[in-house]
Amino acid sequence: MDPTDQKAHRPKGHATKSIEPTVTKGTETCTVVTPPFYANWTCTRTDTLLLLLVTGVALIVRCWRLSVPNQVVFDEVHFGKFAGKYINGTYFYDLHPPLAKMMFAAAGKLAGYDGVFDFKSIGLDYAAAGVPYVGMRLLPAFLGALTVPATFAATRACGYRMDTALLASLLVCFENGLVTQSRLILLDSPLVFFTVLTLTAWSMFWTKQGQSFSGVWWFWLISTGVLMGCAASCKWVGLFLFPAVGLSTISDLWDKIADRSLSPTRWCMHFASRAVGLLAVPFAVYVFWFQVHFALLHTSGDANSMMTPEFQTTLRGGLDVSTDRDVFYGSEIRMRSSNAQSGYLHSHTHNWQHEKGSGQQQITIYGHADENNIWVVEPAFNTTVDSSAGPVPVKTGETVRLRHKITGKFLHSHDKRPAMSSDDQKFELSGYGFPGFAGDTNDDFRVEILSGDKNEPGSDVRVQAIYSRFRLVHRNLQCAVYNSRKKLPKWAFEQTEVNCMRNCMPRMSTWHVEYSNYPNATAEMGVKKAKYRPMSVWGKIWEYNKLMAESNESLTGDHPFAARPQHWAWLRRGTAYWGGRGHFVYQLGNPLIWWASLAAVALFGLVRAVLFLMDKRQIFPSLGGQRRLYFSSAGFFVIAWVCHYVPFFLMGRELFIHHYFPALWMAILVLAFTLDLFTAKMPAIVRVSVYVAVAAAVLHVFNTFSYITYSRTWTKDACQKTKWLKTWDFDCEHAIGGVRATDPPPPSSATEAAKPIDAVEDDDAAEEDDDAPVDDAVPEPEQVALTSPSSVIGSVDAEESSSVGNIADIDSPVSIPANAVIEKSNPVAVHVAPNFEPPVSMPAVGINPEPKVNVSAVSVAYSDVEDTGAHAEL
C-alpha cells in the first residue's frame, strides 16, 4: 500500500489536516498526511448472509402477483410495442435512449414473445393474446430487487454498521413507488438499477483509495464508468450522475493538489485515470448501445419520415432516390424541408379557411411523396430566359416562380396572417392565379444557396437536386419560406403549416430538391443523376440524439397526472396506471419513507449550516464522534440528490412523479445515515429497538398502500380511508362498492385517467407519424345506427392520420363492419376516418373540405371489458 495515495473524499469544511511522522518506503522518505475518512470495507460472511437474505425478500416483494393485472398497463403501451419492433427488426423512434427497451426485447424473446402483439392500448388482454407478459415483467422486477442488496453494499462501503445497512435496504425494499414501477414494462426500473449500481460502485471505489492503481482499484473505477454509461443509455436522467460523481472527483483531485507528498506525475496519473474511467468509458458505452440499436432495427418502419433522407437510405426497404441532378428553368421538382422531421412543399384544391386568411389555395407540408408535391420552376414575373442554346440552370441569387403542376397556381405570399400565428413577422403562403392571369411580383422568390456538397462541384452556385441546400426569400416581403412544424386544423387535413417568416433561423427555412425532371431533356444532354449518400453510424447517432433533444424539449401537454417537481418530494399526488373492477393500480410512494427522507435531507442542510457557523467561532462539535462519517457519506448523497432533483425545476417539458425515483433512493440513504447518527451513542438495545420500530412502521404503511401497488381487491370504504391527503386522487369507485366495480361499469368521465405518457407526443413527431397513407383495402361496412352520444375517436384521414383520442359526438349513423358485435344499449368507442382529399386521379367534384364521419374500419371498445379509466380500445 502506497501511503502517499491514502486519500479519500472529504467534504468542504473538514477539520484541518495534521502532520504525522515520516514513513520510510525503501530508500524514499515522505511525510504522510492524515487522510480524510474513508471505509476500507471488505464483505464478511455475515455481510454475505444478510445480502442473500435481503435479496430473497426483495425478490418476493417485487414478484408477488406479478401477473396482475393481466392487461396492458400505462406506458406498457409504448415500451412493450418497442420490444416487438426490436424482435422484428422494424425501425421506430422514441425520445429515450435504447438500452432499457432492448433489455425488454431480450426478455420478451427469451419468454417466447414473437413481436406480433402490438400493445395498442391500455386494457388489452395479455392472456387472451397469448403474450408472455410475466416473463417480460420479470426483468424490471429482478432489476428492482437487486437494488436492495446494492443499497446494503453501498451503506457498508460508506462505513456504516450492518444494522444501518440492513435498515437502509429494507427501506428501499418496502417503498411502494419503487415496487410499483419495478413490476411493469417501464423504463424507470432499469434506470434506477443502473443509477444505484453506479453509486454503489463509486462507494466501493472509495474503499480502495489506499490501493491506488491496483487491479481492484481499476475494477471499481471502470465499473463506475460502465454503469454510468448504461444509466444514460436507459434515460437521459442518468446523465445527472455525471455532476454527482464529477463534483466528488473534482474535490478529491483538488485535495491531491495540496498534498505535497504526491508528485506532479502521480497527480497527473490520477487525473488521467479518472478522465478515462468517468468520461471516456461512459461515452464508449453509450455509443456502443446505439450501435446495437441500429444493428437490430435494420428494416424500414413507420418512423422513417422523422429522419433525414440520408438516414433513411441506411434502412432495408428505406428511401432509394435517384433523380436528375441539375435543376433548370422548366424543370419539375419536388422540394423537401431539410430538417429531420421533413416533408414536402404541397398544395391541393382546398382553400384557407382561417378568419384572417385570404381564402386562397392552401400551401402546406405533407410527409409523403405524391403528385400534389410537384412544382414547375419558371422565371420571375415579367422576365424570360433564353434557352435557345440549351436548358438554363437555376443559380443562387436568381428570382424564380414556382407553379403548382396540378392546379396551375403560383406559390404566393402577401400581407395576410398564416393560419397558426398572429405574429406580424409571419405571412400566409397560398396558391394564387387563374386562367389568363399572368401573376404578379408576389409570386417571386429569390433562391439563396446556403451550402453545397463538397463532392459535387458547383452545387453551392447552381441548384442541384439533393446536394444544394437553399432558402426561398420572398421578393417583396423579404420573408423566407418557413416550416413552422405546427399541425393545421382538420379543414387543412392536419398537415404541417408552412408560412413566410422574416428574421427566421436558417434551420427551419432550409430546403432541398429531392426530385427533378426536365421534360425537354434529350439523350445528347447527358443528364447526370443525384442520389442520397447513406449516413455513417456516427451521423445516425448524432441525428437521433439531436432529435431526442428536440422531442424532450417540446414534450408539453396537459396530462391529468402530470406533476411539477415542487410536488414530488412531499408526495402531493401519484399517477393512475390502470383500473379494473374492485382493484386498480395507482403509482404512489410509501408516504412515511418519502416524508422522512425529505426531512433527513433538510436536516443535513441545517446541521451543516449550524456547524459551519460554530466552526467559525472555534467551536468544533464532533456529533458524538460521527461528524466525519456523517458529513462524508450523507454529504455526498445529498449532493447527488440535488443533482438529480434540482435540474427538473429548469425543465419546461411535461414531468411525472416517477422522475423523482433516482433522487428518492439517495434521500433514503441519507435517512438511514441520519438515523445512525442519532442512535450511534445509544445503548445497543435502545438502538435496535428504534430500528425495529422504524422498520415496523414502514412495513405497516407499505401494507396499507399495497392494495394500489399490487392491484389487490379492496372495498371503497377502505380505499377512502387511505386518502391521507386530499390531493391523492386515486379513484375509489374502482373498489368494491364503487360504481366502476359493477358489471358492466358505467362510462367514466375521466377518460384520460390512465393515459399513457413518456412517448413521442411532441407536435413534430406527431405530425410526421400521422402522415401515414390511407389503406384503401377496407371491408365493406354494414350500416348500424348508434344512439347519441357515442364516443367517436378519429383514426385516419387521407393525407395525415389523426392520433387516437380526439373525441367527438355524433348523432348520425356510422359504418361498422358486419363482423363487429356490439350491444346497442351500451356506449361504444369507434375509430373513424374523417373525409379526405382525393388523389389527383380522382375527380374532386363535390368533395367537401370539412371532415365528415366516414367509418371504413372501426375498433369497438366493448362495454364488458374491465374499465381502465380510459377507453379500452380492443
Side-chain angles (χ1 to χ4, degrees):
M1 174 166 46
D2 187 350
T4 65
D5 285 329
Q6 285 190 348
K7 299 287 295 173
H9 177 68
R10 183 185 66 213
K12 295 179 180 179
H14 196 276
T16 305
K17 293 178 284 188
S18 60
I19 304 299
E20 297 290 348
T22 59
V23 173
T24 300
K25 182 181 180 182
T27 60
E28 179 184 0
T29 300
C30 62
T31 301
V32 181
V33 181
T34 302
F37 175 82
Y38 68 87
N40 190 12
W41 174 64
T42 303
C43 187
T44 66
R45 173 176 288 187
T46 305
D47 285 318
T48 302
L49 292 175
L50 289 175
L51 281 169
L52 292 174
L53 173 64
V54 297
T55 302
V57 173
L59 285 170
I60 294 172
V61 170
R62 260 62 176 180
C63 296
W64 185 58
R65 290 174 58 88
L66 197 59
S67 61
V68 179
N70 62 350
Q71 298 178 359
V72 178
V73 177
F74 197 56
D75 274 358
E76 289 185 335
V77 165
H78 306 301
F79 305 122
K81 173 181 65 179
F82 294 154
K85 298 281 189 180
Y86 279 115
I87 292 172
N88 295 324
T90 305
Y91 182 76
F92 70 91
Y93 168 76
D94 180 47
L95 55 77
H96 298 297
L99 176 55
K101 297 187 288 288
M102 291 192 294
M103 293 171 69
F104 283 121
K109 186 70 173 179
L110 291 173
Y113 174 46
D114 58 7
V116 174
F117 184 77
D118 60 4
F119 295 82
K120 184 177 181 181
S121 59
I122 295 173
L124 286 182
D125 195 322
Y126 285 132
V131 179
Y133 69 103
V134 175
M136 298 178 72
R137 286 179 180 175
L138 270 173
L139 171 67
F142 183 69
L143 298 180
L146 289 182
T147 61
V148 176
T151 302
F152 182 96
T155 306
R156 291 286 283 144
C158 287
Y160 288 91
R161 287 177 277 184
M162 291 183 188
D163 54 355
T164 301
L166 182 61
L167 178 63
S169 60
L170 290 178
L171 293 176
V172 173
C173 182
F174 294 103
E175 203 298 293
N176 296 73
L178 293 175
V179 173
T180 301
Q181 204 73 6
S182 63
R183 291 166 46 78
L184 301 169
I185 307 171
L186 306 174
L187 303 186
D188 295 275
S189 184
L191 169 67
V192 172
F193 169 75
F194 286 117
T195 299
V196 170
L197 260 64
T198 296
L199 296 184
T200 300
W202 186 240
S203 300
M204 292 298 298
F205 171 72
W206 278 108
T207 69
K208 308 304 176 186
Q209 289 305 290
Q211 307 172 44
S212 296
F213 305 108
S214 65
V216 68
W217 185 91
W218 276 110
F219 172 80
W220 289 116
L221 177 63
I222 298 302
S223 295
T224 302
V226 169
L227 292 166
M228 272 204 297
C230 289
S233 300
C234 290
K235 293 180 77 171
W236 274 358
V237 175
L239 293 174
F240 296 152
L241 286 165
F242 286 84
V245 173
L247 288 172
S248 175
T249 302
I250 291 171
S251 175
D252 173 50
L253 291 175
W254 183 253
D255 285 342
K256 281 180 167 56
I257 288 179
D259 184 0
R260 288 184 293 180
S261 66
L262 195 66
S263 68
T265 301
R266 194 75 168 177
W267 187 91
C268 289
M269 291 174 60
H270 279 285
F271 177 86
S273 62
R274 285 158 174 78
V276 170
L278 303 179
L279 292 177
V281 169
F283 178 75
V285 169
Y286 187 80
V287 169
F288 170 76
W289 289 123
F290 266 100
Q291 290 179 317
V292 175
H293 168 79
F294 292 131
L296 292 175
L297 302 180
H298 47 72
T299 305
S300 176
D302 295 338
N304 283 19
S305 60
M306 298 189 65
M307 316 310 294
T308 58
E310 292 81 0
F311 189 109
Q312 295 181 45
T313 59
T314 65
L315 301 173
R316 185 186 305 164
L319 193 64
D320 185 15
V321 173
S322 179
T323 185
D324 294 354
R325 186 193 70 177
D326 297 302
V327 177
F328 304 107
Y329 287 96
S331 291
E332 298 174 352
I333 64 172
R334 179 182 294 121
M335 282 173 43
R336 187 179 192 124
S337 178
S338 298
N339 70 88
Q341 296 90 6
S342 53
Y344 302 97
L345 190 67
H346 178 91
S347 189
H348 42 234
T349 56
H350 296 91
N351 297 333
W352 290 119
Q353 298 182 23
H354 57 289
E355 182 178 352
K356 296 182 180 180
S358 64
Q360 296 172 9
Q361 185 168 296
Q362 295 173 10
I363 304 292
T364 65
I365 292 177
Y366 178 46
H368 296 276
D370 66 14
E371 291 297 316
N372 278 330
N373 303 334
I374 302 298
W375 301 83
V376 180
V377 183
E378 296 190 359
F381 177 67
N382 277 344
T383 61
T384 59
V385 295
D386 183 8
S387 58
S388 59
V392 179
V394 179
K395 299 179 180 179
T396 185
E398 294 182 344
T399 301
V400 301
R401 292 188 296 173
L402 295 179
R403 176 171 54 84
H404 192 241
K405 180 180 178 181
I406 298 299
T407 64
K409 298 185 183 295
F410 287 103
L411 180 68
H412 182 91
S413 190
H414 42 216
D415 192 12
K416 295 286 185 181
R417 299 283 79 78
M420 306 305 293
S421 175
S422 58
D423 188 341
D424 59 6
Q425 297 296 304
K426 296 179 181 179
F427 305 92
E428 177 191 84
L429 283 177
S430 65
Y432 183 60
F434 48 87
F437 177 64
D440 58 33
T441 58
N442 278 334
D443 303 334
D444 291 348
F445 290 84
R446 183 174 65 257
V447 178
E448 295 182 354
I449 296 181
L450 302 176
S451 64
D453 190 317
K454 63 182 181 180
N455 296 315
E456 296 294 332
S459 59
D460 58 344
V461 177
R462 300 186 306 273
V463 177
Q464 294 183 3
I466 299 196
Y467 305 132
S468 300
R469 297 295 190 268
F470 58 87
R471 303 173 78 197
L472 293 176
V473 180
H474 193 260
R475 175 178 179 179
N476 297 331
L477 296 174
Q478 295 301 305
C479 57
V481 178
Y482 176 77
N483 178 359
S484 76
R485 298 178 291 176
K486 295 180 179 178
K487 181 176 288 188
L488 290 162
K490 289 186 179 295
W491 48 259
F493 311 104
E494 296 184 332
Q495 294 175 7
T496 303
E497 183 198 45
V498 59
N499 58 47
C500 198
M501 182 178 177
R502 289 175 178 160
N503 304 316
C504 60
M505 298 297 291
R507 179 176 172 274
M508 300 309 299
S509 59
T510 302
W511 301 80
H512 66 273
V513 174
E514 185 174 278
Y515 164 81
S516 175
N517 175 53
Y518 186 64
N520 299 324
T522 61
E524 291 76 15
M525 291 175 56
V527 177
K528 296 182 178 180
K529 295 293 183 179
K531 194 170 185 177
Y532 287 117
R533 293 185 176 89
M535 184 175 285
S536 67
V537 172
W538 286 104
K540 292 172 70 173
I541 293 173
W542 172 254
E543 177 176 323
Y544 198 99
N545 279 266
K546 185 171 67 172
L547 186 57
M548 286 165 54
E550 295 169 0
S551 300
N552 275 283
E553 182 181 356
S554 58
L555 186 62
T556 57
D558 56 353
H559 193 285
F561 287 92
R564 295 304 300 170
Q566 60 267 28
H567 299 147
W568 297 346
W570 60 281
L571 202 61
R572 180 179 179 271
R573 68 187 305 220
T575 306
Y577 275 11
W578 178 88
R581 299 175 191 163
H583 53 114
F584 57 93
V585 179
Y586 184 89
Q587 172 60 277
L588 189 72
N590 186 314
L592 181 59
I593 294 176
W594 285 57
W595 297 336
S597 62
L598 177 61
V601 171
L603 181 62
F604 174 86
L606 178 62
V607 171
R608 193 70 183 84
V610 170
L611 265 63
F612 175 78
L613 296 176
M614 295 179 71
D615 290 348
K616 286 293 185 181
R617 297 182 63 84
Q618 301 300 306
I619 303 172
F620 303 103
S622 66
L623 299 182
Q626 299 295 305
R627 174 169 172 158
R628 297 178 90 191
L629 173 61
Y630 178 64
F631 278 1
S632 181
S633 56
F636 170 73
F637 283 100
V638 166
I639 291 173
W641 178 86
V642 170
C643 292
H644 282 77
Y645 186 34
V646 172
F648 287 108
F649 287 88
L650 308 177
M651 297 182 187
R653 59 155 288 180
E654 200 169 43
L655 296 169
F656 299 85
I657 195 170
H658 61 251
H659 289 111
Y660 182 67
F661 284 155
L664 172 65
W665 179 80
M666 299 157 200
I668 290 174
L669 261 67
V670 176
L671 172 59
F673 300 162
T674 304
L675 289 171
D676 181 270
L677 173 68
F678 282 99
T679 61
K681 295 302 180 180
M682 291 182 180
I685 187 65
V686 177
R687 176 183 168 96
V688 171
S689 299
V690 171
Y691 278 22
V692 170
V694 171
V698 166
L699 283 170
H700 173 73
V701 175
F702 173 81
N703 182 66
T704 300
F705 291 94
S706 65
Y707 292 89
I708 57 177
T709 300
Y710 294 107
S711 187
R712 296 171 60 191
T713 301
W714 61 345
T715 65
K716 179 179 178 180
D717 182 60
C719 174
Q720 290 175 333
K721 288 180 179 178
T722 61
K723 287 192 174 184
W724 295 359
L725 297 181
K726 293 181 180 179
T727 51
W728 293 353
D729 49 0
F730 46 83
D731 191 355
C732 291
E733 294 299 334
H734 282 284
I736 299 299
V739 296
R740 271 182 270 283
T742 58
D743 185 12
S748 170
S749 60
T751 57
E752 297 196 17
K755 176 183 175 183
I757 60 169
D758 243 3
V760 182
E761 294 185 17
D762 58 293
D763 291 341
D764 304 338
E767 289 163 9
E768 294 303 330
D769 189 53
D770 290 343
D771 278 337
V774 172
D775 184 1
D776 294 328
V778 294
E780 187 68 20
E782 175 190 358
Q783 298 292 331
V784 180
L786 300 182
T787 305
S788 179
S790 298
S791 297
V792 180
I793 305 175
S795 176
V796 180
D797 68 30
E799 296 196 327
E800 282 201 49
S801 61
S802 60
S803 59
V804 175
N806 299 321
I807 307 299
D809 290 333
I810 61 168
D811 296 306
S812 57
V814 298
S815 302
I816 295 186
N819 61 349
V821 180
I822 63 173
E823 294 181 19
K824 297 182 181 178
S825 61
N826 293 324
V828 297
V830 297
H831 289 284
V832 303
N835 192 22
F836 57 87
E837 173 193 353
V840 176
S841 59
M842 294 175 58
V845 179
I847 298 296
N848 189 333
E850 295 255 12
K852 294 181 180 179
V853 174
N854 177 21
V855 180
S856 58
V858 301
S859 175
V860 180
Y862 292 92
S863 58
D864 61 350
V865 301
E866 291 194 23
D867 180 14
T868 65
H871 287 292
E873 296 148 12
L874 302 185

